[in-house]
Amino acid sequence: MGHWSESLVDYVAQRVGGHIDLQTVEDAVSRAGHEVEIMAGRSFHAPRLATETFEPKGMPFVALPDLIVGSHEAVDGIWPIPDPVDPQHATIMQVLPLSDPRPTTLTTADALNVAGQILAGAVRSGFLTSDRVLHWLGTHVDPVQLNGLLRRAMDPTVRISVPILGVPVEGWWFQVTRRLVWVTDATEDEGRLLQPLLDPALTDGQSLPLAASEPVLIVAPMTQQPAGWAFSARIWTEEVKRPVHQSWSRLAKAVHGHGIPTITVDAASTPQEVACQVVLKGYWHGYVEGQDPGLLDAVAKAYEKPVERVQRGIGAPDKRWAAAALLEQLIRPGFDPAQGAEATRRYVRRKANIVVMQHRKSEHPDRYPWTQIGISERRYYKLLPLFAQKVNGRYDVDHDEVTARMREYLDGVDRERAIREAALDVLHQRGFRKEAARKWLQRHRPEEAIHARPRNQRTGDDTVI
């Protein structure tokens, strides 16, 4: 069974129509599918059997391609953790027991907030760079055993984890790892990004395909053994360069419905912003419930100025109230994670302005021309080109005149609609079927309906169709 994108070729060719080269369609669909996979962090292959060997290097959790829960062979000491959003699959395996299961008082949002702050500290310390991976190879791997490690990395079924950090906090476990990969023709494309580790200038001009996957954050409560819940996210730093060929709106539904969360971090991001981003990504992907109070705390601490803007604009009693109003605008993700943390700030600022603007519209509806006419703002601006002209890119509008002319126009439209509906009623009473009545009105004036007769009821002077 081929890749999922191959099944779309005939469908796309049929929708496009005409004489089209199927190979061209297949290439375009494959490129689009590959971009979806990169953004989702998953390959969406058809179910198949596979053998995987894990070398966790002391970390209790490893990330892996989608595993159908219940389809694996039972192995002592290895536990797949069902995805909280999609329990039929698992993307995290626990391969080592937790040292000391204990209760926790942190909610899911609070735990993801802590994870974001730990992640921000790791970025500032340079833990997510390729040099960190090379440092681990040089200090934690015996030189005699290094060749054997690299040979195992060449095997696509062996998953060697490079530990970046692992720390318990208040009953939760937080870890960041990267997979060591020797890129060959047999290396499977799992939708993950790879970073080359060896510069040819440092290897006598030889290009050695040793790479590390993008860092993966894993968060799990230590309340039971094995863990019953886990959250994972990909981490994209400033070094990630991804060409954007499609608008984010076309990808967002697929990525947030079936993909793995992606966290973008850069040097300008504050720890609170990174923490809020982790919480929001968990919320958008379905790992955090909307009633979790940690959501409001994360938004209020990370984006103080937008929250203060909302608080002043709507007269909210406190910052939590304002953060709740802002969060209502953040229910649907609207920015591309590949654009970086600054895009997140712009998005939140824009949403804060929308909250204030909508509040003012609801508080003072009479000051807006569309409410005076009784139509939506969207319809007002769609009709505006009929009654005003643009000057230097903006409409030159006399609001009183435009409002009066638009009201007269809409009243005329309503009168025509009422006359047409009355004519249709008359035609139905005189025996016309629905479609026949509509066709009759396309050829005659509505006032002639009083004399109309269906074809099977012709009389001498009657109008017929």
Side-chain angles (χ1 to χ4, degrees):
M1 185 173 181
H3 190 267
W4 65 272
S5 62
E6 296 176 4
S7 62
L8 296 177
V9 174
D10 293 337
Y11 172 78
V12 173
Q14 183 179 4
R15 290 293 302 269
V16 173
H19 299 287
I20 186 169
D21 182 19
L22 292 182
Q23 185 60 47
T24 302
V25 176
E26 183 176 349
D27 293 342
V29 171
S30 296
R31 287 194 300 270
H34 183 62
E35 184 166 1
V36 171
E37 290 175 343
I38 290 177
M39 295 302 300
R42 299 170 63 179
S43 59
F44 301 102
H45 280 292
R48 65 199 188 283
L49 294 176
T51 301
E52 303 288 345
T53 302
F54 302 105
E55 294 189 19
K57 303 304 179 183
M59 289 295 182
F61 300 100
V62 295
L64 79 166
D66 293 341
L67 170 70
I68 299 177
V69 176
S71 64
H72 66 290
E73 295 183 3
V75 179
D76 292 338
I78 296 181
W79 307 273
I81 302 176
D83 189 335
V85 178
D86 182 11
Q88 295 182 348
H89 294 85
T91 57
I92 300 174
M93 296 278 282
Q94 183 175 343
V95 294
L96 293 174
L98 298 173
S99 58
D100 184 17
R102 66 194 70 178
T104 180
T105 58
L106 294 180
T107 66
T108 302
D110 289 337
L112 295 185
N113 196 309
V114 172
Q117 296 185 48
I118 293 174
L119 184 59
V123 173
R124 291 198 304 270
S125 301
F127 284 8
L128 303 186
T129 63
S130 59
D131 291 340
R132 182 70 179 182
V133 179
L134 295 175
H135 178 267
W136 178 84
L137 289 173
T139 58
H140 292 82
V141 179
D142 189 287
V144 178
Q145 300 176 350
L146 181 58
N147 288 335
L149 179 70
L150 295 180
R151 281 195 297 270
R152 294 196 301 277
M154 295 179 186
D155 187 344
T157 66
V158 176
R159 297 182 174 273
I160 301 175
S161 298
V162 177
I164 304 300
L165 65 86
V167 58
V169 178
E170 297 190 34
W172 286 76
W173 175 259
F174 305 89
Q175 76 171 52
V176 176
T177 59
R178 303 183 71 172
R179 183 188 175 190
L180 196 65
V181 181
W182 191 278
V183 182
T184 66
D185 292 339
T187 303
E188 183 176 354
D189 186 357
E190 298 176 355
R192 301 298 181 94
L193 301 182
L194 298 178
Q195 180 182 20
L197 295 178
L198 299 177
D199 189 340
L202 302 177
T203 57
D204 297 329
Q206 295 182 1
S207 180
L208 300 180
L210 182 63
S213 69
E214 59 198 0
V216 175
L217 168 71
I218 296 179
V219 181
M222 303 173 63
T223 54
Q224 66 183 60
Q225 170 60 37
W229 187 97
F231 167 86
S232 69
R234 312 154 72 201
I235 305 169
W236 286 4
T237 63
E238 291 176 302
E239 296 176 328
V240 172
K241 305 297 181 183
R242 185 188 70 87
V244 179
H245 301 294
Q246 298 184 25
S247 64
W248 172 244
S249 60
R250 296 179 181 273
L251 298 172
K253 185 175 181 180
V255 172
H256 288 271
H258 307 282
I260 296 173
T262 301
I263 310 301
T264 54
V265 292
D266 54 35
S269 301
T270 66
Q272 290 77 17
E273 287 177 332
V274 177
C276 182
Q277 186 185 166
V278 177
V279 175
L280 286 177
K281 293 295 176 66
Y283 175 53
W284 289 332
H285 284 262
Y287 295 91
V288 178
E289 295 182 356
Q291 297 79 14
D292 195 320
L295 272 170
L296 300 182
D297 294 335
V299 172
K301 292 178 180 178
Y303 303 105
E304 293 183 355
K305 290 185 178 179
V307 169
E308 291 175 357
R309 160 80 169 137
V310 172
Q311 185 177 2
R312 293 193 307 268
I314 68 175
D318 53 43
K319 289 185 177 181
R320 287 180 60 87
W321 188 289
L326 178 58
L327 186 61
E328 291 181 359
Q329 288 291 326
L330 300 177
I331 290 178
R332 293 186 177 182
F335 62 90
D336 185 348
Q339 300 303 311
E342 181 57 35
T344 308
R345 300 190 189 106
R346 292 195 298 269
Y347 177 69
V348 174
R349 289 196 296 266
R350 184 169 71 251
K351 289 300 184 181
N353 291 332
I354 291 176
V355 171
V356 175
M357 182 174 58
Q358 290 183 345
H359 174 78
R360 290 175 177 173
K361 291 177 182 178
S362 63
E363 290 293 314
H364 306 283
D366 293 340
R367 69 170 62 174
Y368 300 101
W370 50 87
T371 57
Q372 298 174 14
I373 304 173
I375 60 177
S376 67
E377 180 182 3
R378 180 182 179 87
R379 190 179 183 192
Y380 172 82
Y381 282 106
K382 290 184 70 174
L383 292 174
L384 190 57
L386 299 176
F387 305 96
Q389 293 182 346
K390 279 188 175 181
V391 178
N392 295 327
R394 303 187 65 177
Y395 284 106
D396 184 14
V397 177
D398 182 333
H399 289 290
D400 293 337
E401 179 185 357
V402 168
T403 300
R405 292 174 58 195
M406 194 174 293
R407 181 183 290 110
E408 182 180 356
Y409 169 80
L410 292 173
D411 289 344
V413 171
D414 291 339
R415 287 194 297 271
E416 292 180 3
R417 183 181 296 111
I419 293 173
R420 178 179 175 81
E421 291 177 353
L424 286 173
D425 290 339
V426 171
L427 293 174
H428 293 159
Q429 293 174 7
R430 301 182 73 83
F432 283 81
R433 293 189 300 273
K434 183 177 180 179
E435 291 299 324
R438 290 178 57 190
K439 289 182 179 180
W440 190 93
L441 279 178
Q442 292 175 359
R443 300 182 178 93
H444 301 81
R445 292 177 298 174
E447 55 267 26
E448 297 177 5
I450 192 68
H451 303 295
R453 292 288 188 277
R455 290 184 183 275
N456 57 0
Q457 297 181 11
R458 291 185 183 182
T459 58
D461 297 327
D462 289 332
T463 302
V464 297
I465 62 172

